[in-house]
Amino acid sequence: AGSFTTGQNFVIDGGATMEAAGRMMSEADINALFVRDGGRTGVVTGMNLSKAAVLRRLPLETPVREISHFDVVAVDADDFIF
């Protein structure tokens, strides 16, 4: 089987604000965060934040869970995906 390397994972609580998510991404120089909200795990990206703030004009105090994607699919390193 092949091998791969992953970097540090950054996780934010679903109840944290969009602003907090943006600051965390900026400070870590990353463009995505894992979002833990109860028993589910999702992801939020810088583009999600931008669209929420600029296009949808959501307040920066909006909980990040409201703009996160929770339909994330996980696979094992040796899973056939094609």
Side-chain angles (χ1 to χ4, degrees):
S3 63
F4 64 96
T5 306
T6 60
Q8 182 177 0
N9 294 322
F10 290 88
V11 180
I12 193 165
D13 184 81
T17 64
M18 290 182 356
E19 181 178 12
R23 288 190 188 283
M24 182 182 265
M25 286 184 202
S26 178
E27 291 169 4
D29 195 27
I30 57 175
N31 194 43
L33 298 171
F34 287 109
V35 179
R36 287 222 179 102
D37 190 48
R40 59 189 187 156
T41 301
V43 66
V44 66
T45 66
M47 184 59 72
N48 296 136
L49 289 173
S50 296
K51 287 180 177 180
V54 176
L55 299 178
R56 295 173 56 196
R57 296 183 183 262
L58 294 178
L60 295 180
E61 296 78 25
T62 301
V64 72
R65 74 170 64 90
E66 294 186 21
I67 63 164
S68 299
H69 296 280
F70 290 98
D71 53 353
V72 177
V73 176
V75 296
D76 289 324
D78 58 351
D79 284 347
F80 184 76
I81 57 172
F82 292 96

